[in-house]
Amino acid sequence: MTGGWLRAAVFGAMDGLVTNIGLIAGVGGGGLSRDAIILTGMAGLVAGAISMALGEYTSVTTANDQLEAELAKERRELERNPHAEAEELALNWMERGLPEDLARQVAYFLKDNPEEALRVHAQEELGVVPDAQPSPWTAAISSFLCFSVGALIPLISFLLGSDSLWMALAIGGVGLFVAGALTSRFTHRSWWTSGTRQLVLGLLAAGATYAIGKLIDGSTTAL
């Protein structure tokens, strides 16, 4: 088990990339200086990382609280009517093809082992393992750190002294492809498809903010 950090890390990095690529493209399109772009990017990094961490913490905590409520309900049902719960479990197994005698034997054996019965019922009915839930703190810290790394990538060339917006966006594009490819771990898509899709979506976001920055720059110049 990854303790909730892997998904938060991958998607945190990807969000950091998209957020700061969009910010940099927008203010770069608006004609701001290198220093202003760096300031904007760093502000986006800090604000976004904090927001992502708080969001992950709240999301995982809420999911865990909901699971605890479901487990408490299941525990009460096992205490109040263990026979009916054992029968329900046996019927579920029989529907999946398990021989009736074996299904009832195992289900009624579990009836006399409350904690093990709770674990099995949680897996069968809720689809979860009670003692393997993600840590909200782990998810929050992973998201914070990886968002920061992702948001830093399109700033690298500026921090090294370059004034080229296009170089920064190109570096960010590479980061987008890599982050997208990593998400294939959670899907049935190939790494190439996932990487390309994320790159295209990130470029669309950058294109939109760049166009807005150009429009705002043009309108303020005309005033």
Side-chain angles (χ1 to χ4, degrees):
M1 300 299 293
T2 62
W5 70 266
L6 183 57
R7 179 185 177 279
V10 172
F11 287 101
M14 192 161 59
D15 284 347
L17 278 159
V18 173
T19 297
N20 255 13
I21 286 173
L23 277 173
I24 290 168
V27 296
L32 295 190
S33 66
R34 169 178 165 270
D35 289 343
I37 291 175
I38 292 174
L39 177 60
T40 300
M42 294 305 294
L45 184 158
V46 174
I50 292 172
S51 176
M52 284 292 295
L54 292 175
E56 281 291 339
Y57 181 86
T58 302
S59 175
V60 174
T61 298
T62 300
N64 287 351
D65 288 346
Q66 182 180 11
L67 174 61
E68 285 300 322
E70 292 289 342
L71 290 175
K73 178 182 177 183
E74 191 66 38
R75 185 179 284 106
R76 288 194 299 271
E77 291 175 352
L78 285 168
E79 291 172 352
R80 291 172 182 172
N81 202 341
H83 181 83
E85 290 296 310
E87 188 67 20
E88 179 184 356
L89 189 60
L91 290 174
N92 285 339
W93 284 337
M94 283 187 278
E95 288 176 359
R96 298 182 187 179
L98 202 66
E100 180 178 351
D101 291 345
L102 180 58
R104 292 187 187 280
Q105 180 181 356
V106 175
Y108 279 86
F109 171 80
L110 289 173
K111 180 171 68 70
D112 298 323
N113 297 270
E115 288 305 313
E116 187 64 18
L118 178 64
R119 187 182 67 82
V120 173
H121 277 269
Q123 288 180 284
E124 294 292 323
E125 298 177 22
L126 305 177
V128 297
V129 180
D131 54 357
Q133 295 311 298
S135 162
W137 281 109
T138 298
I141 293 169
S142 297
S143 183
F144 179 91
L145 294 176
C146 292
F147 183 99
S148 299
V149 172
L152 188 63
I153 289 173
L155 285 171
I156 289 174
S157 60
F158 286 116
L159 292 171
L160 293 177
S162 171
D163 291 323
S164 172
L165 174 63
W166 304 112
M167 181 183 293
L169 295 180
I171 294 172
V174 173
L176 281 170
F177 182 86
V178 172
L182 289 174
T183 64
S184 64
R185 182 184 179 94
F186 310 106
T187 68
H188 298 294
R189 292 186 174 88
S190 70
W191 65 270
W192 175 258
T193 301
S194 297
T196 301
R197 181 183 64 174
Q198 190 58 38
L199 175 60
V200 170
L201 292 174
L203 291 178
L204 288 173
T209 54
Y210 180 82
I212 292 171
K214 277 290 188 183
L215 287 172
I216 293 174
D217 180 47
S219 63
T220 54
T221 301
L223 294 176

